[in-house]
């Protein structure tokens, strides 16, 4: 049995005027950590709400833990954990009261499943008498994860658990997920941070309600067509303009301390021709290196066409 | 001192026995893109609130656009712009209504609002969208509009509080084009972000840890100092040692 199946799920809002999810299909194996990667408004949360039985889809079928999301929603609700994007615990209950509350409504107790949350809970236990509303972002996140886990769900839904969280806390959060994975829990997680994609078993890239690619992170970046180069110079700001003006440039984007460039044609002399052009423009300390594409490079590449259409039509 | 936009000297803010901002000293030059990064809870928001004239420090000194944070908070507010991803435009007002509202708040005259509003729409190429509700604009446009509105009163400094959170990779980069253009026009840009690749785009970066500024230099110098390849690693090395990150 698959942990999650999604078959041509469509969801619209505003009497069909807004298409949020457009015939999305994917499947999760049991124990898999699957990432839904895309920007705000891509349709990630709508998919989460359909799967957690909070929204009815307009079309298509979906199952979670073998149960149908429309007909067997009660069974699904008993066996999943859901951490919504917006902090949804009771702000005026303490850490411990929140956890007790969620344990009780699922007919269990903190003690019964303590093993599962122990690693995470010990970090917030010193503050167990503090009201949830008074916690910092990182601690709220940990408490929310504990509350989503306390009834030992078979599938865990995490909707943007790391948005607005700093780079160090994000690394820690993914460490926690890795430990949950070893306990056999299936995890569907969404994130707008492309660098987190590498930590999933498989990822789906999503934009404008459409699933654009489903594969392992390693295979996803291998699908990048053509070569990619990192270009650096002493004057990066002007370099961007020069590269965008260059007639051989297919696309050029800033990536941290370098520009990522792809040529219209990957000919043998593409790099030397570009070097001459840039030197002629007065660019100094030039470095042009071929590099492997990352998830973000691939995402930009496959969404490019949509963006072009967007800027022309809207 | 006219080329200094922000100057902070041992700036400190305490809440009871908790030192949120611990004697930070730094300066931001006119026209500079200044990256203000730090872990959650490091004290960034508190420091930024002081610099925006919204909170009085406990001790130390600071001037923003030449105005003292203790005495001239109101003048600071008039001379800065502010934008964040969380709060920027009113979705249920039209493009022009948002422009009029913000320009009005900043005290621009009706004539100025009309002129600069038209100029802004032309520059962004959205003249025909003046009567469109902001809610129905594509995200990339919303971002550009929010930024342009934040500088409509031509402030000396603009504070950008995580302006690109959750934004798609292309729009995020287009937003930085706007930041560069503003800096070219002489506007000082003070920006916070959780994307460490964006820290690389700043002229100088300060990294806050436990209320202190533990590093403050150009991205190139910081990487050299920590012997690493990226700002992400610089940040990780510094923030990993934070004691109060869990709180």
């Amino acid at each position: 049995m698959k942990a999650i199946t999604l078959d041509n799920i469509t969801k619209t809002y505003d009497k069909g005027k807004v298409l949020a999810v457009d015939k999305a299909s994917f499947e999760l194996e049991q124990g898999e950590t699957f990432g839904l990667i895309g920007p705000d408004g891509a349709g990630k949360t709508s998919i989460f709400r359909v799967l957690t039985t909070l929204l009815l889809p307009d079309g298509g079928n979906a199952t979670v833990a073998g149960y149908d999301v429309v007909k067997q929603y009660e069974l699904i609700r008993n066996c999943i954990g859901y951490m919504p994007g917006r902090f949804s615990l009771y702000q005026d209950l303490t850490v411990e009261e929140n956890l007790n509350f969620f344990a009780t409504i699922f007919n269990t107790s903190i003690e019964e499943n303590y093993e599962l949350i122990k690693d995470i809970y010990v970090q917030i236990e010193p503050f167990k008498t503090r009201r949830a509303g008074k916690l910092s972002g990182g601690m709220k996140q940990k408490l929310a994860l504990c509350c989503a886990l306390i009834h030992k769900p078979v599938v865990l839904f995490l909707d943007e658990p790391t948005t607005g969280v700093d780079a160090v806390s994000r690394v820690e959060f993914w460490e926690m997920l890795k430990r949950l994975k070893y306990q056999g829990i299936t995890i569907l997680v969404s994130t707008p941070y492309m660098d987190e994609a590498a930590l999933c078993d498989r990822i789906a890239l999503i934009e404008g309600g459409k699933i654009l690619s489903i594969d392992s992170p390693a295979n996803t970046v291998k699908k990048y067509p053509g070569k990619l180069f990192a270009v650096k110079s002493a004057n990066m700001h002007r370099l961007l303009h020069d590269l965008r003006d260059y007639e051989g440039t297919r696309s050029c984007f800033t990536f941290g301390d370098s520009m990522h460039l792809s040529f219209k044609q990957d000919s043998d002399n593409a790099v030397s021709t570009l070097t001459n052009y840039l030197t002629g423009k007065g660019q100094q300390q030039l470095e042009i290196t071929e590099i492997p594409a990352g998830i973000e490079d691939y995402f930009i590449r496959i969404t490019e066409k949509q963006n072009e259409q967007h800027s022309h039509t809207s | 001192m006219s080329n200094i936009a922000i100057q902070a000297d041992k700036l400190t803010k305490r809440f009871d026995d908790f030192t949120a901002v611990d004697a930070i000293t730094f300066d931001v030059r006119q026209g500079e893109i200044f990256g203000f990064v730090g872990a959650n809870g490091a004290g960034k928001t508190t420091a930024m609130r002081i610099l925006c004239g919204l909170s009085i420090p406990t001790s130390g000194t600071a001037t923003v656009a030449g105005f003292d944070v203790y005495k001239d908070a109101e003048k600071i507010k008039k001379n800065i712009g502010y934008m964040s991803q969380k709060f920027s435009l009113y979705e249920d007002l039209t493009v022009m209504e948002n422009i009029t509202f913000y320009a009005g708040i900043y005290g621009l005259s009706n004539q100025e609002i009309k002129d600069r509003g038209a100029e802004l729409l032309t520059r962004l190429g959205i003249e025909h969208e003046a009567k469109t509700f902001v809610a129905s604009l594509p995200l990339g446009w919303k971002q550009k509009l929010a930024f342009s509105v934040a500088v409509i009163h031509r402030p000396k400094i603009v504070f950008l509080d995580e302006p690109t959170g959750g934004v798609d990779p292309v729009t995020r980069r287009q937003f930085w084009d706007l930041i560069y253009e503003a800096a070219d026009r002489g506007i000082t840009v003070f920006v916070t972000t959780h994307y460490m690749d964006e820290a690389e785009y700043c002229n100088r970066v300060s990294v806050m840890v436990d209320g202190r500024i533990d590093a403050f230099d150009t991205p190139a110098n910081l990487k050299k100092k920590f012997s690493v390849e990226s700002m992400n690693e610089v940040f990780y090395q510094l923030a990993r040692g934070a004691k109060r990150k869990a709180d």
Side-chain angles (χ1 to χ4, degrees), chain A residues 39-40 127 130 136 139 164-172 192-194 237 240 244 253-257 296 299-300 307 310 314, chain B residues 39-40 85 138 141 162 165-170 172-173 177 180 184 194-195 197 200-201 223 229 232 235-236 239-240 245-247:
Chain A
D40 289 358
F127 309 97
R130 189 179 290 189
S136 70
M139 280 169 62
V165 174
D166 70 69
V168 173
S169 305
R170 281 166 49 197
V171 171
E172 285 178 355
Y193 296 103
M194 306 273 159
H237 188 183
L240 180 62
R244 285 192 178 155
F253 290 99
T254 47
F255 265 82
D257 66 349
E296 198 160 13
F299 189 91
I300 289 177
N307 282 315
H310 216 62
S314 49
Chain B
N40 298 115
Q85 171 67 12
W141 291 18
E162 289 183 36
V167 174
D168 70 80
V170 176
R172 198 154 75 79
R173 286 169 172 80
D177 289 348
Y180 276 122
D184 285 346
H194 284 311
Y195 290 101
D197 59 337
E200 309 265 7
Y201 310 153
K223 283 184 277 183
E229 293 291 315
N232 198 42
F235 180 78
Y236 196 78
R240 198 177 45 181
K245 69 186 171 200
D247 193 346

Side-chain angles (χ1 to χ4, degrees), chain B residues 16-149:
Chain B
D16 298 326
D17 57 352
F18 177 70
T19 308
V21 175
D22 192 1
I24 59 173
T25 298
F26 67 97
D27 61 279
V28 182
R29 297 169 195 144
Q30 193 74 51
E32 180 171 40
I33 301 172
F34 183 83
F36 199 61
V37 308
N40 298 115
K44 294 193 303 289
T45 304
T46 306
M48 212 151 137
R49 284 178 57 83
I50 295 172
L51 298 175
C52 289
L54 299 171
S55 168
I56 300 285
T58 311
S59 63
T61 60
T63 60
V64 177
F67 299 110
D68 187 284
V69 292
Y70 291 91
K71 287 179 267 167
D72 296 323
E74 290 311 308
K75 285 184 187 146
I76 288 176
K77 288 179 198 167
K78 286 201 173 78
N79 281 281
I80 62 167
Y82 176 86
M83 176 202 156
S84 77
Q85 171 67 12
K86 284 184 205 122
F87 176 79
S88 45
L89 300 169
Y90 291 94
E91 299 260 309
D92 47 2
L93 294 184
T94 67
V95 168
M96 195 59 208
E97 282 167 347
N98 266 288
I99 294 173
T100 308
F101 175 77
Y102 278 98
I105 292 276
Y106 283 121
L108 265 58
S109 69
N110 286 344
Q111 190 59 47
E112 282 174 318
I113 292 173
K114 216 175 131 201
D115 294 347
R116 290 190 200 177
E119 183 196 312
L120 188 160
L121 294 174
T122 312
R123 181 145 45 86
L124 297 182
I126 53 170
E127 301 95 322
H128 51 289
E129 304 284 352
K131 289 181 182 158
T132 305
F133 285 109
V134 163
S136 59
L137 288 181
L139 183 66
W141 291 18
K142 267 188 218 173
Q143 285 247 299
K144 285 178 193 166
L145 181 62
F147 182 81
S148 304
V149 164

